[in-house]
Amino acid sequence: MQDFNPLRLPMTAGFRLRHWLIFFCAGFLLSGPAWAQTLEITAARVQGASWQAQHLKVMLRTHAQKNASLQFLAGTLQIGKQHPWQAIQGNCVLQTRQGWSCSALHLAISGSPWGALQGAGRFQVLRSGGLGSLHFQLEGAKLGKLTLLARSAASGRWQLQTQGEVVLTDWVSALHLLPANWQSGGELGWQMHSSGVSWSQISAVHFWAQLHKGQFSSPDGLQAAQNVAAQLSGDGHLQKHWQGHVQLRWDEGGILWSPWYWAAPARPVVMQSRWRQSAKNWHLERGQINWPNLGTAKFAVSEPIQGSKLDWHLQDADVALAPLFTTWIKPLLPASSFAAQALLAGHLHFSVAGNPALCSVHWDLQHGDFSTQQMSLAGVVSHGAWGANVPVEKAVFNWQSATLYHIPLGPLAVRVVLHPGGFALQQPVDLHLLGGVLHFQELSGHWTGPHSGFSMQGNLQGMSMKSLTQIMHWPPFTGTIQASIPRLTYHAGTIQTSGELSAGIFGGKLLVRDLQVQNFLGVMPLLRANVSVQGLQLKPLTDAFHFGYISGVLDGNLRNLYLLNWSPEAFQGHFETVKTPGVPQKISYQAVQSITKLGGGDGISGFFQGMFLRMFNTFSYSHLGMGIDLSNGVAELSGVHPENGGFVILQGQGLPRVDIVGYNRRVSWDELLARLKTAMETGPQMHTGE
């Protein structure tokens, strides 16, 4: 056997791929003779349209036994701005009887994003007439499994089929699909078929990928996934522009992306769409989402190839309101907010669009129900539209029944006018409650700007006090409430008035100033106000409380009133009678006993004194009053004036004269309420016939 010096081709900067392939294929001509021959090809750089490889070397040694050895080395590979490796080398035993066949390929890669890689496999190149084919297989611990089959014709038409499996742990970090300090795992299998009419162009592609046991987690635990199984498939065809179809199916697992958490339902979640590329935009068209137990929707998305103005549409969505609220809306709400405690039900049909901010909404709600500890709505029906660029839209909102703090509300039908920044009543509305009517003269809202919220103005006529006190578990009042409501505003959970709220009660007037209710519909509402009473008739008031008979007129005030969860926490209160022409100032024996107990005494004592006073139905008095200063659960008591270290609550007049003096100035609020309850429940109610 005769040896020859190897054939070396010059290393030239900018050596083109087509020239390099011409010289490499000359190896076919050298494999036929019986003697040994060596072909060595080197190139400083081989490059294509968007890639280049540097420092390539291929060495082919043929032998008389019709086989050969093939070795190849390559330096840096650059694809776009990426560098998949710094160096690659491989070798195999090559057989050339029927094309080229390498059944013992060994491949080693260093300097890759995945670290050092090694793999073993084989490849085969066949040529018959004008047809050629390449079959390639490779398997490695980090590389996974890869199979590739390529066919070509003399005309340039080609087909490529590839499939493989890979463990994702190293690939996810190498391709920067997640932040560097995240954990990931899972297995990915894929298949792809592509074809073209020439080697310079691809005209069709079909792909399929299946994820098994997918998982990831962020260091803070706010983003994570476990045991995710999903499938992505689709195709594309080049006509004037690329277009095709894509489908994503989610079968198993759970995903946490704080504040949301999604668990795969029993049947797969499927999203599919047509897609196309125009000269200026990418488009997803005729998209559909099917989420079992939630609903269905259509969608479309358009994004410029250059720029970031995304146009999106979610159309004809039909969803169950309960899972929509629980899964998608509730996680966005503060846990302590009123809305976060709600339970919703019903069926919602809606369409929304944005570019990218929300710009239009259409909705139709049927059979809606809404409930919290503070309020409930039943039989809700609503439909309407809103547009960010439309001056006026209209909407309808109805309910069959409702409650607010257990107060029943009658049916309501509201028509509103919507504008980009808020809404307003189309016409005044009456709401029936407890035998009366709450008249909304004005109701409007704003959801943008620093003063977002709503405001109202109206009046209340004929609401039954008896029904209200029963519902609120207050002492029983009688009569009705007539009230005027000044402008009342709601913003960021707080209700307040800009004027004075007035109501007629027990023949007098109740005035509420500086009203503010924080966390109105929350768990622990806080009310602040200053309250005054003018001309309150004591006879109907004491009849309602079963306190004993008292006649007269009462004035007073509650300054710096604080109610937490509708229970008093602090106030400075003082009430006393004022002499009024035509109104006698009289008090019954039972009322004397009740006031004495309320002030901390044991009532009128002494056998002869008690027997004597019981002979009179009523007693005259000149002054009656009491003050209570509540703070930190302790009430400090006072009367109409101090006397002998105590305080006068009742100053009698005439014969027999009855005075009531209290000496225990400080008492717990709970004890004071217990005394009031005892006073109202002790003894029969006395009527004078007035």
Side-chain angles (χ1 to χ4, degrees):
M1 179 170 54
Q2 183 178 0
D3 291 332
F4 290 86
N5 292 328
L7 174 63
R8 297 181 183 273
L9 299 180
M11 182 181 294
T12 305
F15 200 62
R16 295 295 179 180
L17 177 62
R18 61 179 180 270
H19 300 136
W20 190 87
L21 290 175
I22 290 172
F23 286 113
F24 181 76
C25 292
F28 278 115
L29 302 176
L30 300 177
S31 62
W35 56 85
Q37 179 68 56
T38 299
L39 173 66
E40 183 178 305
I41 304 174
T42 61
R45 184 173 68 250
V46 177
Q47 63 185 28
S50 59
W51 65 274
Q52 68 173 3
Q54 298 179 358
H55 310 301
L56 281 83
K57 180 179 180 181
V58 177
M59 187 164 57
L60 175 65
R61 291 181 180 273
T62 62
H63 305 280
Q65 291 80 10
K66 298 296 184 181
N67 57 16
S69 62
L70 177 67
Q71 296 180 353
F72 53 90
L73 299 94
T76 303
L77 174 65
Q78 180 177 348
I79 302 176
K81 296 182 179 180
Q82 302 297 320
H83 294 81
W85 68 65
Q86 294 298 323
I88 181 172
Q89 58 182 344
N91 59 78
C92 70
V93 177
L94 188 66
Q95 295 180 351
T96 60
R97 294 178 181 176
Q98 295 180 349
W100 285 24
S101 177
C102 183
S103 58
L105 172 66
H106 178 75
L107 189 68
I109 300 174
S110 61
S112 76
W114 301 268
L117 301 176
Q118 291 189 6
R122 65 186 182 89
F123 74 85
Q124 183 179 39
V125 179
L126 300 176
R127 185 177 61 184
S128 177
L131 300 178
S133 66
L134 169 66
H135 188 195
F136 177 78
Q137 289 182 326
L138 183 65
E139 182 174 352
K142 292 184 179 180
L143 288 169
K145 297 180 180 180
L146 173 65
T147 300
L148 183 147
L149 176 61
R151 295 185 177 91
S152 67
S155 62
R157 183 177 297 275
W158 60 272
Q159 294 181 353
L160 176 65
Q161 300 178 21
T162 181
Q163 64 182 36
E165 298 177 3
V166 66
V167 176
L168 289 176
T169 303
D170 295 320
W171 285 79
V172 170
S173 59
L175 297 177
H176 306 291
L177 300 178
L178 292 173
N181 55 350
W182 285 33
Q183 301 295 320
S184 62
E187 300 176 357
L188 181 69
W190 81 90
Q191 294 180 2
M192 184 177 71
H193 302 264
S194 56
S195 61
V197 296
S198 68
W199 283 106
S200 62
Q201 188 178 61
I202 181 173
S203 58
V205 61
H206 300 262
F207 60 89
W208 170 91
Q210 177 75 53
L211 174 65
H212 295 282
K213 298 180 180 180
Q215 61 182 27
F216 63 80
S217 61
S218 62
D220 57 13
L222 297 179
Q223 290 83 28
Q226 186 71 28
N227 294 327
V228 173
Q231 184 182 107
L232 178 67
S233 61
D235 58 59
H237 303 275
L238 179 62
Q239 296 176 354
K240 184 177 180 181
H241 298 287
W242 277 100
Q243 59 182 344
H245 174 269
V246 64
Q247 181 186 86
L248 175 64
R249 193 180 78 182
W250 176 29
D251 297 291
E252 298 177 1
I255 301 173
L256 171 65
W257 198 272
S258 183
W260 293 287
Y261 174 76
W262 308 287
R267 291 180 289 119
V269 177
V270 178
M271 180 176 69
Q272 57 185 347
S273 174
R274 302 294 301 176
W275 66 273
R276 66 181 177 90
Q277 177 195 6
S278 63
K280 297 182 178 180
N281 297 279
W282 285 97
H283 303 273
L284 291 178
E285 301 172 327
R286 291 180 285 172
Q288 293 183 339
I289 303 173
N290 186 350
W291 193 304
N293 303 323
L294 175 62
T296 61
K298 301 176 182 178
F299 68 91
V301 180
S302 178
E303 182 178 17
I305 295 176
Q306 294 182 347
S308 59
K309 189 176 181 180
L310 182 73
D311 288 326
W312 57 272
H313 301 266
L314 190 64
Q315 303 165 324
D316 297 325
D318 282 294
V319 298
L321 195 55
L324 174 68
F325 177 77
T326 302
T327 304
W328 292 92
I329 301 175
K330 185 175 180 178
L332 298 173
L333 305 174
S336 59
S337 67
F338 153 73
Q341 312 303 318
L343 297 176
L344 276 75
H347 182 82
L348 179 64
H349 180 92
F350 68 95
S351 298
V352 293
N355 59 348
L358 183 67
C359 62
S360 68
V361 180
H362 293 76
W363 76 89
D364 183 4
L365 172 64
Q366 299 293 329
H367 311 296
D369 289 302
F370 174 91
S371 63
T372 68
Q373 292 183 348
Q374 295 80 18
M375 67 177 299
S376 67
L377 305 175
V380 179
V381 175
S382 178
H383 57 84
W386 170 86
N389 302 313
V390 180
V392 176
E393 292 279 12
K394 294 182 179 180
V396 173
F397 184 84
N398 303 337
W399 73 57
Q400 294 179 357
S401 62
T403 63
L404 178 62
Y405 287 104
H406 306 293
I407 299 173
L409 308 177
L412 183 70
V414 178
R415 295 183 179 274
V416 298
V417 175
L418 298 175
H419 53 84
F423 71 93
L425 284 178
Q426 192 171 353
Q427 58 189 17
V429 173
D430 289 338
L431 176 62
H432 295 268
L433 71 162
L434 301 182
V437 176
L438 177 60
H439 178 71
F440 292 92
Q441 180 63 36
E442 176 190 339
L443 178 62
S444 60
H446 300 273
W447 43 67
T448 59
H451 302 292
S452 59
F454 69 80
S455 63
M456 65 159 289
Q457 187 172 0
N459 57 72
L460 176 64
Q461 301 292 330
M463 187 177 76
S464 169
M465 284 298 300
K466 181 179 180 180
S467 300
L468 178 63
T469 54
Q470 287 177 345
I471 292 171
M472 303 300 291
H473 302 288
W474 293 341
F477 287 77
T478 59
T480 59
I481 296 180
Q482 321 293 328
S484 63
I485 304 173
R487 183 174 297 277
L488 182 148
T489 61
Y490 176 88
H491 170 68
T494 298
I495 284 183
Q496 59 185 13
T497 59
S498 59
E500 184 179 75
L501 189 151
S502 64
I505 182 173
F506 296 116
K509 182 180 290 187
L510 178 71
L511 302 175
V512 181
R513 303 179 181 89
D514 308 315
L515 175 65
Q516 183 183 87
V517 184
Q518 297 178 343
N519 199 26
F520 173 61
L521 295 174
V523 177
M524 297 290 285
L526 173 63
L527 181 146
R528 302 178 182 181
N530 291 301
V531 182
S532 63
V533 174
Q534 299 175 0
L536 189 71
Q537 297 292 324
L538 284 174
K539 181 181 182 300
L541 176 63
T542 54
D543 286 345
F545 277 93
H546 296 275
F547 192 78
Y549 171 79
I550 305 176
S551 66
V553 177
L554 190 71
D555 284 356
N557 58 73
L558 287 173
R559 290 180 291 108
N560 302 317
L561 172 64
Y562 284 73
L563 299 181
L564 181 62
N565 201 26
W566 312 113
S567 295
E569 287 289 308
F571 61 81
Q572 297 88 48
H574 187 81
F575 298 88
E576 60 182 65
T577 56
V578 292
K579 292 184 178 181
T580 304
V583 181
Q585 295 190 151
K586 293 185 178 182
I587 185 170
S588 70
Y589 173 81
Q590 181 192 347
V592 171
Q593 290 280 64
S594 298
I595 294 175
T596 304
K597 294 176 181 178
L598 185 61
D602 295 327
I604 301 174
S605 60
F607 176 76
F608 292 104
Q609 184 182 24
M611 288 292 294
F612 174 72
L613 291 177
R614 285 190 180 93
M615 297 173 60
F616 297 87
N617 287 337
T618 59
F619 310 93
S620 296
Y621 68 89
S622 64
H623 212 172
L624 171 64
M626 191 170 186
I628 302 175
D629 188 345
L630 175 63
S631 179
N632 297 322
V634 177
E636 186 168 342
L637 307 182
S638 60
V640 293
H641 59 77
E643 182 174 303
N644 297 328
F647 52 95
V648 176
I649 301 175
L650 177 70
Q651 182 176 341
Q653 177 177 288
L655 294 176
R657 174 169 175 158
V658 178
D659 293 334
I660 301 177
V661 181
Y663 293 96
N664 187 4
R665 289 185 176 273
R666 293 176 62 83
V667 62
S668 75
W669 177 248
D670 292 339
E671 173 64 21
L672 188 63
L673 291 180
R675 292 179 185 178
L676 179 60
K677 182 178 180 181
T678 301
M680 291 188 295
E681 293 176 349
T682 303
Q685 176 75 350
M686 178 181 292
H687 299 277
T688 65
E690 293 185 11

